[in-house]
Amino acid sequence: MTSPLRPSPVSATVDFDADGVQHGFLRLPYSRDDAAWGSVMIPVTVVKNGKGPTALLTGANHGDEYEGPIALFDLARSLRPDEIRGRVIILPAMNQPAFAAGTRTSPIDRGNLNRSFPGRPDGTVTEKIADYFQRVLLPMADVVLDFHSGGKTLDFLPFCAAHILPDKAQQAEAFRLVRAFGAPYSVQMLEIDAVGMYDTAAEEMGRVFVTTELGGGGTASARTAEIAIRGCRNLLIAAGILQGEATAAPTQWLDMPDGDCFTFAEEAGLIRFLADLGDRVEKGQVVAMIYPTGRTGLPPTELRSRRAGLFTARHFPGLVKPGDCVAVIAEEIDG
Ligand code: CA
């Protein structure tokens, strides 16, 4: 680590301490062929009404996931200061270059924003965005909601989630907000690759962090968009920021206790699923077959579930490669 860190090159066109509604940008200088003194412009809305907690709401941390941007462009347009107490900071397109390109990672530097924390003020564009969240936005926040979905390569049962944490009070508050969000499923989530994640950065700073996986395949359905819009308002009500009545529906709790939840491909080929999202599967059940595609006459490889549970996430495209996550099986638990 170098220290002391230089100031962030990002400048905000909004005043985070002013009451009222402001629509503006985080402006990040980015010199390039088509704009010598150009910038990356990340849309931001701040809605503030006096003293109270701050919620930091983000979509498109990964650029090909759409429920969060839909919910947050909608909220930014409609939320009024007289409806709230405290402050709501809304960034529907957190990794704006990736969102504009419709890709998971940034087309500028291939940076995966959710593996770039704590970031660097003198790093790549993606690292500079991470650094601004790490040192400017996260310290302002009490509650953080970061929307995810499966993107182009995964599809999920719609769920809201939080992590098991060493600080049990922080963990309990996160799961209280997950329940309030009211997605059809609520998950105690295990990360297979937690280093550099926004989640980890927020949690290590003591923030109450809630995330989602609301669908996938590189689009949003009517149902999953509505879950995102309703859940976001429910969470703000439960956090004591937004007035009104929550409209939560019943939720099924799921646990992802260990690495046996994940099944990975070891061959390339054409995938045929034998179970769909939401199906109950047994340990050892064949959940998919991978057909070799280079020639005819070869048998498919069987992929077996490594635990019993609910089929919670799957690979989305029809072709798989070695190492791809093919299936996630979570355990149904009482909430
Ligand atoms: Ca994601």
Side-chain angles (χ1 to χ4, degrees), residues 14-16 18 20-22 44-48 87-90:
V14 292
D15 177 355
F16 291 106
V21 179
Q22 301 166 78
V44 60
T45 292
V46 185
V47 184
K48 184 170 177 291
R87 180 168 56 176
V88 183
I89 302 172
I90 307 168

Side-chain angles (χ1 to χ4, degrees), residues 62 65 104 148-149 213:
H62 292 133
E65 304 175 3
R104 178 175 180 83
H148 286 256
S149 302
E213 297 289 358

Side-chain angles (χ1 to χ4, degrees), residues 110-191:
R110 303 284 23 138
N112 180 342
L113 182 55
N114 214 28
R115 302 292 183 277
S116 299
F117 280 81
R120 293 173 60 102
D122 56 355
T124 64
V125 164
T126 305
E127 288 170 331
K128 287 170 178 169
I129 296 171
D131 172 68
Y132 189 82
F133 274 84
Q134 176 82 26
R135 291 193 296 150
V136 178
L137 293 177
L138 281 177
M140 294 182 197
D142 300 289
V143 173
V144 181
L145 169 61
D146 184 36
F147 279 102
H148 286 256
S149 302
K152 287 175 178 166
T153 66
L154 292 171
D155 195 15
F156 284 87
L157 288 179
F159 68 76
C160 186
H163 298 110
I164 302 294
L165 298 173
D167 181 328
K168 292 306 166 191
Q170 185 186 5
Q171 173 187 310
E173 179 61 4
F175 282 112
R176 186 182 75 80
L177 295 183
V178 169
R179 181 183 295 280
F181 187 100
Y185 298 89
S186 299
V187 175
Q188 298 181 19
M189 202 169 180
L190 175 73
E191 298 296 345

Side-chain angles (χ1 to χ4, degrees), residues 271-317:
I271 190 154
R272 172 190 170 192
F273 283 99
L274 300 179
D276 286 319
L277 293 183
D279 287 350
R280 272 188 198 87
V281 302
E282 299 303 321
K283 183 177 180 177
Q285 182 177 331
V286 179
V287 291
M289 298 194 294
I290 300 175
Y291 291 84
T293 57
R295 61 185 299 158
T296 54
L298 297 175
T301 302
E302 293 179 341
L303 283 176
R304 293 176 185 276
S305 170
R306 297 163 68 200
R307 65 159 54 246
L310 206 66
F311 199 170
T312 299
R314 54 158 277 187
H315 188 269
F316 191 76

